[in-house]
Amino acid sequence: MTSSATTPADHPLRARRTRVLRARKVARSLPLLPSIVLIAIFLLGPIISSFYGSFTNSALTGAAAQNPSFVGFDNYVNLFKSPGFPGAVILTIVFIFGSAVIGQNVVGMLLAALMRSGGSVVSAIVGTAVVAAWVLPEIVSAFAAYAFFSEQGTLNNLLSLVGIDGPNWLFTFPMLSVILANIWRGTAFSMLVYSAALQDVPPEITEAAEMDGASGAKRFFLITVPMIRGSISTNLMLTTLQTLSVFTLIFVMTAGGPGTASTTLPLLAYQEAFKFSQLGYGTAIATILLLVGAVFSFIYIRALKPEVD
Amino acid sequence: MSLSSPSGRGLRLTSNVVLLLIALTFIAPLVWLVLASFNSRASLSAELPGTPTLRNFTEVLTPALSFVPLWNSFLISAGSALITVVVAILAAYPLSRFKTRFNKPFLYGVLFATGLPITAMMVPVYSLFVRVGLVDSLLGTIFFMAASSLPIAIWMTKNFVDGVPASLEEAAWMDGASSMRTLRSVVVPLMRPGIAVVFIYVFIHSWGNFFIPFVLLLSPANQPAAVSIYTFFGENGAIAYGQLAAYSLVYSIPVLVLYVIISRGVGGPSALAGAVKG
């Protein structure tokens, strides 16, 4: 725009040109409108109403269903006072750490690393097996996991082969069962991320370390892991976000039970809102979950920042 | 990790053994699903059926039990995938081609939304749908599913549009074509494989989603297979595990086929085209 510097600001031609440019800019952004409308109505709308609803006593039935009134922080105060909520928070953290941060990440990394040193046929078999659990519809893998861990299930059949009389896993160790099931279901994602990341590590670097006499484990932890730490943090963030919203797997396997022994926050929100008709209470839990998700999501895009332009 | 060194060969053997063990562990829960579906007296144990039978499949494949729910699954998945793809292309094109002040915040917003737990949103979405009378509406569910997969779809589609060289469009611009026309006749044909990837991605997600239709759709006539399988499990699960497994397999096949298509597609546009042609 060097020519505009010499033109007077009130020049009619320039004014017309800015008008045309502005009109073109608006016209060019017009195709964004459908996506903005969809997101505003179906995503932003519920989020805003979630924040608002968590401050009311709205319910699915009864007087409060017609005219919900403003109750301030009552839902949140009740939430923190009720015995169910702190327990659900702890179980959610245990679930995320056990199945995502540790389970899926470690198994996914192990698989990705082994597939590089293993044969290609074996790697293809493992890849297919791991991805199959991930691609199946969630309700189907939930049934499969339910059958696997049930008292007469495959796990106990296998254990009886070596003379162990297995317990009813879903009742005796509900959290362990759902954590193992979620590792089984979700590891494929980490495996794919880490396989791609390991492919980008130049082999010369690890070879040079091998020349210098570094052992396999040393090479892996001192050279490979630091080189792919970007992928590791991205993957940790994404698996945490995915695991935070796991509902179906736990719902089918244990329904949050026995008692509340495997009731994570999504299950608690569902039960309070739909089973006990405490919509405001359920909405408060949903709002907290959304806030936690928002914080993680925010950290995640901060880490990804350079890729947006 | 060269093959010639003895330590390399040992490493390879150990890796293969560990990999096969992990593969067996991952396959184990699926064995029951397959064996039970061919067993007319299936229990929760994975056992070889005495005489393999297709009876479970024939008993499950009836209009009320599976055809209507599978058709609903198709309507919901195809509908939401179609809406998502069209809206995402419309949004991705200006985001990729024209630099405005609006782009950056919009893309950050989109990226941020991909991380939000949709599960947590279902309680407020339900109360919103009650208020506007959209509960038990297939169309409402389709639009919500489309909106919930839109952020990731816009993100993916923008990357595909970025991959189309702008020089090809400039010729169309020179000839006086509008940007929408250029999009339709130049960009979209060039990124057809990318569009297929986004469509299949959204389709697989909607097809497999249980919680959204479980909360939003109430009458059996509207419910997709994911929900009807769950209802079947609640009503007959304890007695008819074989049928449950058969139904689960039938319901899973479309997703498995689509996944094979999409994963072949990663190899390149021609690979995807080849896979689609069979």
Side-chain angles (χ1 to χ4, degrees):
Chain A
M1 289 283 169
T2 41
S3 64
S4 64
T6 56
T7 325
D10 54 354
H11 197 286
L13 212 73
R14 187 179 188 245
R16 206 177 130 228
R17 219 171 116 198
T18 25
R19 244 198 338 267
V20 170
L21 277 178
R22 191 169 302 153
R24 190 186 286 170
K25 242 180 207 168
V26 172
R28 280 174 169 181
S29 298
L30 220 54
L32 284 170
L33 209 60
S35 58
I36 294 171
V37 170
L38 263 185
I39 290 175
I41 294 179
F42 290 101
L43 298 185
L44 223 53
I47 291 173
I48 292 166
S49 82
S50 178
F51 275 91
Y52 176 76
S54 65
F55 293 105
T56 69
N57 65 347
S58 74
L60 286 176
T61 50
Q66 300 299 322
N67 291 306
S69 54
F70 198 74
V71 294
F73 280 93
D74 277 12
N75 284 318
Y76 291 100
V77 172
N78 290 338
L79 204 60
F80 284 100
K81 273 199 294 198
S82 74
F85 181 72
V89 171
I90 292 169
L91 288 178
T92 308
I93 294 171
V94 168
F95 184 64
I96 290 176
F97 262 85
S99 68
V101 175
I102 298 171
Q104 293 178 9
N105 268 284
V106 172
V107 180
M109 176 73 88
L110 182 74
L111 281 165
L114 287 173
M115 281 162 90
R116 279 179 74 76
S117 51
S120 59
V121 177
V122 176
S123 299
I125 294 171
V126 182
T128 309
V130 175
V131 165
W134 180 59
V135 175
L136 282 177
E138 49 181 351
I139 191 93
V140 175
S141 44
F143 283 142
Y146 170 84
F148 184 76
F149 286 105
S150 63
E151 196 158 19
Q152 296 92 34
T154 312
L155 180 59
N156 282 347
N157 293 347
L158 291 172
L159 287 177
S160 69
L161 291 180
V162 289
I164 299 173
D165 195 15
N168 187 346
W169 295 89
L170 296 168
F171 266 91
T172 323
F173 304 107
M175 273 315 276
L176 182 68
S177 304
V178 294
I179 285 174
L180 289 175
N182 196 44
I183 295 175
W184 168 69
R185 166 133 178 102
T187 294
F189 185 82
S190 303
M191 181 189 78
L192 295 173
V193 168
Y194 290 141
S195 292
L198 288 181
Q199 248 163 31
D200 291 341
V201 175
E204 301 86 46
I205 295 177
T206 42
E207 273 161 20
E210 200 177 357
M211 294 289 194
D212 293 342
S215 70
K218 230 177 183 172
R219 283 203 303 275
F220 183 74
F221 285 107
L222 295 180
I223 295 166
T224 311
V225 168
M227 284 197 73
I228 60 166
R229 66 175 186 277
S231 303
I232 295 176
S233 57
T234 305
N235 187 53
L236 278 174
M237 208 54 80
L238 288 176
T239 47
T240 300
L241 282 166
Q242 285 161 7
T243 309
L244 183 67
S245 56
V246 167
F247 172 85
T248 308
L249 197 67
I250 305 178
F251 186 61
V252 169
M253 286 177 71
T254 66
T260 56
S262 56
T263 304
T264 55
L265 284 173
L267 275 107
L268 188 66
Y270 169 80
Q271 285 169 354
E272 289 296 341
F274 298 116
K275 241 165 120 183
F276 309 127
S277 300
Q278 294 301 312
L279 214 53
Y281 193 88
T283 311
I285 302 170
T287 307
I288 289 176
L289 265 175
L290 278 171
L291 279 175
V292 175
V295 169
F296 274 101
S297 197
F298 185 73
I299 300 172
Y300 166 60
I301 58 170
R302 282 295 292 264
L304 213 80
K305 203 165 190 171
E307 288 183 29
V308 180
D309 57 17
Chain B
M1 286 174 210
S2 58
L3 274 172
S4 50
S5 71
S7 77
R9 206 170 298 157
L11 177 70
R12 188 175 181 138
L13 186 69
T14 325
S15 301
N16 281 342
V17 170
V18 178
L19 280 174
L20 282 176
L21 280 177
I22 296 178
L24 284 178
T25 317
F26 272 80
I27 291 169
L30 297 176
V31 171
W32 168 80
L33 206 60
V34 177
L35 291 183
S37 69
F38 294 106
N39 189 343
S40 55
R41 281 179 302 176
S43 66
L44 283 170
S45 312
E47 51 199 2
L48 285 172
T51 44
T53 166
L54 289 175
R55 222 174 74 194
N56 291 324
F57 289 92
T58 52
E59 265 167 33
V60 164
L61 290 173
T62 62
L65 206 52
S66 60
F67 293 166
V68 171
L70 285 169
W71 173 244
N72 287 335
S73 286
F74 177 77
L75 283 181
I76 291 173
S77 314
S80 58
L82 194 67
I83 294 170
T84 309
V85 164
V86 171
V87 174
I89 293 173
L90 285 175
Y93 184 64
L95 285 173
S96 168
R97 289 295 187 262
F98 312 125
K99 301 286 168 237
T100 69
R101 265 174 306 172
F102 186 62
N103 280 8
K104 220 170 187 173
F106 188 83
L107 278 172
Y108 275 130
V110 161
L111 197 57
F112 176 73
T114 57
L116 288 178
I118 295 295
T119 314
M121 285 182 55
M122 288 323 290
V123 177
V125 167
Y126 179 79
S127 17
L128 191 78
F129 270 42
V130 168
R131 237 171 293 151
V132 295
L134 274 179
V135 167
D136 205 24
S137 145
L138 263 181
L139 205 62
T141 308
I142 289 173
F143 270 98
F144 176 70
M145 285 233 186
S148 67
S149 41
L150 195 54
I152 187 88
I154 291 177
W155 193 251
M156 288 164 82
T157 314
K158 183 190 171 276
N159 283 334
F160 285 122
V161 181
D162 286 345
V164 176
S167 56
L168 292 165
E169 285 151 65
E170 275 154 19
W173 286 92
M174 289 297 190
D175 294 344
S178 69
S179 66
M180 274 306 99
R181 208 195 144 127
T182 316
L183 173 63
R184 205 177 56 229
S185 52
V186 179
V187 183
V188 167
L190 282 172
M191 50 178 279
R192 229 177 249 148
I195 294 174
V197 168
V198 178
F199 184 92
I200 292 176
Y201 180 88
V202 178
F203 190 99
I204 290 180
H205 268 251
S206 306
W207 184 272
N209 196 301
F210 164 76
F211 195 42
I212 294 176
F214 181 61
V215 169
L216 296 182
L217 296 171
L218 307 176
S219 58
N222 284 337
Q223 283 169 346
V227 181
S228 87
I229 287 184
Y230 179 76
T231 318
F232 181 83
F233 172 66
E235 284 166 2
N236 311 304
I239 33 171
Y241 286 118
Q243 291 178 26
L244 180 74
Y247 195 168
S248 299
L249 280 186
V250 171
Y251 162 58
S252 304
I253 286 169
V255 178
L256 296 176
V257 171
L258 285 174
Y259 180 78
V260 171
I261 294 175
I262 205 176
S263 61
R264 292 271 171 84
V266 175
S270 53
L272 182 68
V276 173
K277 279 181 206 145

